[in-house]
Amino acid sequence: MAYDPRPVEPSIYKRWLEAGVFQPRPDAEPYVIVIPPPNVTDVLHVGHALNNTIQDVLIRFERMRGRAAEWLPGTDHAGIATQNVVEKRLKAEGKTRFDLGREAFVQRVWEFVNKTGNTIIEQLKQIGCSCDWTRTRFTLDPEYSRAVREVFVRLWEEQLIYRGHRVIHWCPNCLTALSDEEAEHHETNGNLYHIRYPLADGSGSITVATTRPETLLGDTAVAVNPEDPRGRAFIGKKVRLPIVGIEIPIIADEAVDKEFGTGFVKITPAHDPNDFETGKRHGLEMPLVMTEDGKMGEPGNEKRETGNVRVPADLVGVDRFEARKRIVKQLEKEGLLEKTEPHRHSVRRCYRCDTVVEPRLSDQWFVKMKPLAEPVLAKFRAGEYQIVPERWRATYDHWMENIRDWNISRQIWWGHRIPVFTCTKCAHQWADRVDPQACPKCGGSVEQDPDVLDTWFSSWLWPFATFGWPNETPDLKRFYPGHTLVTAPEILFFWVARMLMSGYHFMGQRLPFTTVYLHGTVRDTKHRKMSKSLGNGIDPLDVVKLFGADALRWTLIAGSSLGADVILDPQDLETTFAPGRNFANKLWNIGQFVLGQLPPQVPALESVDRRALTLADRWILSRAQAVIREATQSLADFRLDEAAKRCFEFVWNELADWYVEAVKPRLKDPASQAVLAYCFDLALRLLHPVVPFITEELWQKLPERKGELLATAQWPAPRAEFDDPRADQEFGRVKTAIEQIRSIRAEYRVTPKTRVRATIVPRGNDKAATFEGERDTIERLAQLERLTFDGAPDGVGAHAVFGDGSEVVVALEGLVDVKTECKRLTEEKERLEKQLTSLAARLTNDSFVSRAPQDVVAKEREKEKAWRDQRDILAGKLKSLGCS
Ligand SMILES: [Zn+2]
Ligand SMILES: [Zn+2]
């Protein structure tokens, strides 16, 4: 009978909500996870499903272990991303945000957010997330905004915020500055253009190489390394800048890379961060030659009809990439293009809209990060918090060690407005916790900075701003610091590192969590990241509809080992999620069977006389203690897949395939019922964090539940009195004997209905008593007519050796056609011997052994050994069948 999760899951979830089980227990030690807040515009994708299922497994595990489990949910206002979505909608109406004006536009975004912002929260419920929904936060909530402003003002007062005039990453599409992290590197095939700059004195030319020839309009010098002999004679001379026609100097600068191109580099201080530094060192002019939207022009110097000082009239307003083509063409025409080479290099793109970022000289607000990072890095090196898996340690350490100041101002409208005010009269500038009416110095009118803060400047406060900081709330006292942070490695620097810094800085040098668990990425079978644009995504809610949330969760958890990528096939949901669905079905069927056996009042394990327990009972009880220990340890070590697989093995194999089969004739026996009930209850508890719905549903059906919920039931503790190594060993031998007989039956194609005779000859530590005591079990599970212990049966038989050299012989007389079997086995043996002869010849050939790579030779030797073993097995079979 197949399990149908569809009616079960929503009603179970409702029950959990009504019982308030997701809220932390009032009087226990807390265990806290804060959710990586999804963007308020997000709809659930499979990456969210993985991230949140991992968190849910951990929080459910700790909840059952008796902790006050607080999984704090919420959403991020996602400045640029959300603004982009609303701007796109406006565009469809033929409008821009500037047509609406700031206030009306922000209003419009709020309307959008209020209407759709809850989507992802509702979707998280469908996959079973047990977040504390009573504490759901949004990064633009009034209280949260107060925390953001408080942090800004405090950093201002500590002089860790400053106005920087420098080249930053600019997105010409989003029309805002970006941080280093938001301007992502992409390896790109471009060109390296070698351009001749004629010397002003007419004595020839020098050549510079660039990937962005359009920026030459903004060149104010050519630089050469003073150590470079090729350039020495030219230092101090002037060149005539192509296209523009003005003269610029050749300067010496030690920062110039002698290995790049010709050794001469063009210096464009307003459009390249390194050139900006060079420009500062040499006091060069820094003209912009592009407008904010990535078109050629000279902001502040716009005379469109005549062109400007630097940008010719026919290039004004032309897009930068079109301008590149035209300039290259013009250079070619004038004989100034020496050559064009294909060139692979890194180009930065906006992480929100994928537009190529333009380096641009601009005034922005920055946070000095070194003082924030240093103590947090020291704590990391001292082992006070950990990053798993370990391979991220070096990357993190390096980034923290080389941390750069953080550009926090964005030229957009959706977000936390920067609380910096300037007096229009006396120019006094300050940061304020409340909006001031007038200048405190002269009473003049004030203007607020027009920009908003980087979204990450609010989310970096998530572990404490969500609990009411800066107020000393009871929640803050109880839930800070938290414990585990689960996220994708992509936001290690955007978010995780900064949370560690803000937590340490603002929360009394207490870090917000002790473990950062970085999980893998969900990819398709070609190992491509799943994305909307590639069309290779999987909608987790489709999976929930088809197979249930448990099947989705099972596949994600069992399929992802610590930090490794999860591979799913979007073309074949059926096969991809079959393991999860099959497991749910199996568990359901075992459950139906177990429930069918149990009386309304199951005897407690404690009340059972230990002497009434059979070997199988003692064995499964001992295995149960092992699975408790192993699953608990795996979950505590974040090896979620191992925990899931170990529980699977226990339920499917040890409990269902062996124990239940072994005790079937004794199921009316109270001892067996007590053992069965204990083991099944235990399995449901251990599996609950991974597959919460089906386990809760089955658990509710167990006798004597009295309204308790599995979600808050106790995590099982191992009971040492049931550890039984002897039972493990003895039942282990019985299992092996049965498996040996089964494999002989399969080998000789004995039909399942046919009962056969078999003999076991125990040797070494294998005692006859062990097998004799389980004669009935062995006979039943191996479909034997009779099991004896008195030597090999007469006539034809197949034998196998196991354990300490014990032997099992299965009588095959009259069951197999001996002649045909002998022929088949003889042919197989002959084939193997031929292969062995030629392999042996190769391996004794000196020229092969000495010339072939060592690992090839080693592989051949391994092969030889495997074939020999196979041949010996065949020889044994031929002998036991009596073939001549
Ligand atoms: Zn952008
Ligand atoms: Zn003033």
Side-chain angles (χ1 to χ4, degrees):
M1 219 185 62
Y3 164 64
D4 185 2
R6 279 165 295 196
V8 173
E9 293 181 350
S11 79
I12 291 277
Y13 199 86
K14 198 161 153 260
R15 228 178 129 179
W16 288 330
L17 281 182
E18 283 165 1
V21 298
F22 302 162
Q23 282 137 262
R25 293 185 166 88
D27 47 11
E29 194 197 331
Y31 172 78
V32 181
I33 298 180
V34 291
I35 206 170
N39 289 352
V40 70
T41 54
D42 275 346
V43 285
L44 194 77
H45 57 61
V46 72
H48 293 125
L50 174 66
N51 175 252
N52 288 288
T53 302
I54 292 171
Q55 293 176 76
D56 196 45
V57 171
L58 296 175
I59 206 87
R60 283 179 184 273
F61 170 54
E62 296 295 350
R63 185 182 292 126
M64 290 177 78
R65 292 220 282 183
R67 305 277 288 270
E70 169 63 22
W71 183 12
L72 183 123
T75 46
D76 191 303
H77 68 281
I80 302 173
T82 308
Q83 172 151 334
N84 278 356
V85 172
V86 177
E87 283 195 293
K88 234 176 234 166
R89 291 175 171 225
L90 277 180
K91 202 175 172 190
E93 298 166 23
K95 286 188 214 153
T96 70
R97 65 171 151 131
F98 302 100
D99 297 330
L100 266 71
R102 184 167 193 144
E103 216 163 301
F105 177 77
V106 170
Q107 188 52 39
R108 183 80 192 244
V109 184
W110 270 114
E111 280 161 26
F112 172 73
V113 164
N114 289 336
K115 219 165 99 192
T116 61
N118 218 26
T119 308
I120 191 152
I121 295 288
E122 290 308 312
Q123 292 172 325
L124 288 173
K125 294 177 182 174
Q126 290 189 51
I127 63 166
C129 292
S130 62
C131 302
D132 177 4
W133 303 113
T134 64
R135 287 184 169 85
T136 308
R137 296 286 180 264
F138 179 47
T139 52
L140 273 178
D141 282 342
E143 302 93 76
Y144 199 102
S145 302
R146 205 179 327 124
V148 172
R149 192 149 172 180
E150 178 68 27
V151 159
F152 185 95
V153 175
R154 286 197 194 179
L155 291 174
W156 177 280
E157 289 166 352
E158 294 170 50
Q159 299 181 338
L160 290 175
I161 286 182
Y162 67 94
R163 190 76 169 158
H165 179 68
R166 66 181 61 162
V167 171
I168 45 84
H169 309 290
W170 181 268
C171 176
N173 180 46
C174 298
L175 297 178
T176 181
L178 301 171
S179 66
D180 287 339
E181 293 69 37
E182 288 172 316
E184 294 180 332
H185 286 287
H186 289 262
E187 282 299 308
T188 308
N189 290 322
N191 289 316
L192 192 60
Y193 302 92
H194 295 253
I195 303 168
R196 284 194 198 102
Y197 284 21
L199 289 160
D201 60 13
S203 64
S205 69
I206 54 145
T207 301
V208 300
T210 179
T211 57
R212 293 152 66 217
E214 68 281 8
T215 62
L216 75 79
L217 302 184
D219 286 1
T220 49
V222 167
V224 67
N225 193 304
E227 304 290 311
D228 188 342
R230 292 171 298 179
R232 227 169 264 155
F234 296 93
I235 296 167
K237 290 195 174 188
K238 287 195 165 179
V239 289
R240 185 167 297 278
L241 186 58
I243 315 277
V244 182
I246 59 174
E247 289 181 8
I248 56 172
I250 299 174
I251 58 173
D253 194 284
E254 280 163 7
V256 174
D257 178 5
K258 284 181 283 183
E259 307 304 316
F260 181 76
T262 57
F264 291 98
V265 295
K266 59 195 273 312
I267 301 297
T268 323
H271 289 284
D272 181 281
N274 295 325
D275 293 1
F276 172 73
E277 296 300 328
T278 313
K280 269 208 302 198
R281 281 194 292 275
H282 297 270
L284 299 174
E285 261 187 278
M286 304 190 174
L288 283 163
V289 290
M290 275 179 230
T291 47
E292 290 182 343
D293 55 358
K295 297 192 169 79
M296 306 312 291
E298 278 180 84
N301 195 15
E302 290 109 341
K303 298 183 205 118
R304 280 178 188 269
E305 320 76 49
T306 59
N308 306 301
V309 178
R310 288 171 167 270
V311 182
D314 59 346
L315 283 177
V316 170
V318 173
D319 179 80
R320 54 193 167 144
F321 298 117
E322 174 61 23
R324 179 178 300 176
K325 282 187 212 152
R326 293 198 200 170
I327 285 171
V328 168
K329 210 175 215 173
Q330 180 70 23
L331 292 170
E332 204 167 11
K333 221 167 95 189
E334 293 178 20
L336 296 177
L337 186 69
E338 192 176 289
K339 61 176 172 177
T340 305
E341 287 176 333
H343 184 62
R344 196 159 169 80
H345 62 127
S346 175
V347 169
R348 286 185 186 247
R349 288 175 181 270
C350 170
Y351 83 135
R352 281 302 170 211
C353 75
D354 209 36
T355 300
V356 173
V357 160
E358 195 62 43
R360 181 177 182 83
L361 184 60
S362 159
D363 290 308
Q364 303 287 339
W365 293 108
F366 289 85
V367 179
K368 274 186 207 160
M369 295 306 278
K370 265 240 144 44
L372 298 178
E374 267 165 6
V376 173
L377 178 57
K379 293 254 170 199
F380 179 64
R381 288 175 178 167
E384 291 188 31
Y385 59 101
Q386 54 162 345
I387 296 178
V388 287
E390 283 216 336
R391 62 189 150 88
W392 288 100
R393 292 182 56 95
T395 318
Y396 175 76
D397 192 296
H398 179 83
W399 188 83
M400 288 291 277
E401 171 89 53
N402 297 285
I403 196 157
R404 315 222 353 219
D405 286 353
W406 178 13
N407 174 359
I408 51 167
S409 42
R410 298 290 174 273
Q411 288 65 48
I412 58 173
W413 292 343
W414 175 244
H416 301 273
R417 182 101 176 243
I418 292 179
V420 171
F421 300 87
T422 311
C423 174
T424 53
K425 224 167 119 193
C426 76
H428 172 51
Q429 191 175 56
W430 76 105
D432 213 323
R433 288 177 174 83
V434 289
D435 291 353
Q437 299 303 312
C439 171
K441 292 222 163 144
C442 74
S445 62
V446 294
E447 269 173 2
Q448 184 169 4
D449 191 287
D451 293 347
V452 301
L453 289 161
D454 181 4
T455 288
W456 304 96
F457 192 87
S458 47
S459 50
W460 77 320
L461 314 176
W462 191 245
F464 52 93
T466 47
F467 292 120
W469 188 91
N471 296 336
E472 276 289 331
T473 62
D475 269 12
L476 188 65
K477 252 192 205 132
R478 189 147 186 245
F479 301 128
Y480 190 95
H483 301 85
T484 311
L485 195 276
V486 181
T487 191
E490 289 96 302
I491 53 175
L492 178 59
F493 304 124
F494 276 119
W495 191 49
V496 182
R498 288 172 182 157
M499 275 191 293
L500 286 157
M501 291 185 257
S502 73
Y504 182 86
H505 193 74
F506 293 104
M507 291 301 296
Q509 309 188 346
R510 288 178 302 153
L511 296 165
F513 26 77
T514 47
T515 305
V516 176
Y517 173 20
L518 299 173
H519 56 72
T521 306
V522 183
R523 298 181 186 276
D524 68 9
T525 46
K526 289 178 189 145
H527 290 250
R528 296 176 307 179
K529 202 173 160 175
M530 290 195 175
S531 78
K532 231 188 236 167
S533 54
L534 284 175
N536 63 345
I538 289 177
D539 182 346
L541 297 183
D542 284 348
V543 179
V544 171
K545 266 179 228 135
L546 287 167
F547 312 110
D550 284 333
L552 169 74
R553 295 168 63 109
W554 178 267
T555 305
L556 292 174
I557 295 299
S560 63
S561 54
L562 184 70
D565 288 344
V566 182
I567 308 297
L568 302 176
D569 185 358
Q571 303 301 322
D572 189 353
L573 295 187
E574 186 71 28
T575 311
T576 304
F577 294 96
R581 189 197 44 193
N582 295 347
F583 180 56
N585 275 334
K586 178 84 175 182
L587 191 61
W588 186 253
N589 288 325
I590 298 168
Q592 298 313 308
F593 174 80
V594 171
L595 294 168
Q597 303 306 319
L598 299 181
Q601 281 186 322
V602 184
L605 201 51
E606 294 74 23
S607 69
V608 171
D609 183 352
R610 294 289 288 274
R611 284 165 303 181
L613 297 176
T614 63
L615 176 63
D617 293 334
R618 291 194 287 121
W619 171 75
I620 196 71
L621 287 172
S622 186
R623 297 320 299 147
Q625 310 319 310
V627 71
I628 294 171
R629 288 196 189 91
E630 288 163 34
T632 307
Q633 192 59 50
S634 295
L635 286 174
D637 294 345
F638 304 99
R639 288 179 283 112
L640 278 50
D641 61 320
E642 287 176 20
K645 285 176 199 153
R646 182 64 187 89
C647 295
F648 173 93
E649 164 76 15
F650 176 72
V651 171
W652 193 304
N653 186 305
E654 295 169 337
L655 187 63
D657 286 355
W658 288 103
Y659 180 71
V660 168
E661 291 304 323
V663 299
K664 258 184 184 164
R666 295 189 297 106
L667 279 169
K668 292 285 167 265
D669 179 354
S672 303
Q673 290 177 343
V675 173
L676 186 61
Y678 166 81
C679 289
F680 189 62
D681 169 278
L682 174 98
L684 294 178
R685 287 174 201 253
L686 295 177
L687 281 164
H688 179 73
V690 181
V691 283
F693 292 105
I694 188 172
T695 48
E696 183 76 81
E697 177 74 4
L698 285 169
W699 201 75
Q700 289 305 323
K701 293 178 195 289
L702 286 173
E704 301 171 89
R705 280 289 75 105
K706 298 178 190 132
E708 210 197 331
L709 287 163
L710 178 57
T712 42
Q714 216 178 21
W715 187 255
R719 296 166 65 169
E721 71 267 32
F722 292 120
D723 284 332
D724 196 336
R726 224 180 103 189
D728 278 341
Q729 219 175 45
E730 288 180 358
F731 196 77
R733 286 189 185 120
V734 170
K735 272 175 65 196
T736 316
I738 295 167
E739 282 164 347
Q740 294 293 349
I741 299 169
R742 283 176 177 170
S743 90
I744 290 170
R745 296 177 63 109
E747 164 86 34
Y748 292 99
R749 289 167 232 147
V750 178
T751 62
K753 274 190 202 148
T754 313
R755 304 257 149 193
V756 296
R757 281 175 298 125
T759 292
I760 292 176
V761 186
R763 294 211 180 93
N765 288 320
D766 299 352
K767 296 285 172 277
T770 307
F771 302 109
E772 276 166 20
E774 295 297 316
R775 179 201 294 255
D776 165 68
T777 307
I778 300 172
E779 283 181 347
R780 223 163 17 82
L781 299 189
Q783 280 107 342
L784 299 183
E785 182 195 323
R786 187 155 39 91
L787 175 66
T788 56
F789 301 94
D790 47 9
D794 297 334
V796 178
H799 82 142
V801 176
F802 68 96
D804 279 2
S806 300
E807 210 172 338
V808 58
V809 187
V810 177
L812 295 173
E813 186 75 50
L815 294 176
V816 296
D817 180 349
V818 177
K819 239 173 142 181
T820 317
E821 278 304 316
C822 285
K823 187 165 171 262
R824 179 176 73 86
L825 294 170
T826 309
E827 277 168 8
E828 215 175 312
K829 187 165 158 260
E830 277 165 4
R831 185 179 55 81
L832 262 177
E833 262 156 5
K834 245 186 227 152
Q835 287 176 348
L836 271 167
T837 315
S838 73
L839 187 60
R842 242 146 79 80
L843 285 171
T844 47
N845 182 337
D846 282 345
S847 72
F848 168 73
V849 177
S850 58
R851 272 189 222 152
Q854 277 201 329
D855 56 327
V856 172
V857 177
K859 268 202 187 118
E860 295 292 282
R861 288 203 197 283
E862 267 171 45
K863 210 194 275 174
E864 190 189 25
K865 185 179 177 309
W867 286 351
R868 266 207 195 113
D869 290 348
Q870 276 180 42
R871 184 199 55 194
D872 294 345
I873 290 168
L874 284 171
K877 281 179 180 167
L878 284 164
K879 195 175 151 221
S880 62
L881 278 180
C883 311
S884 53

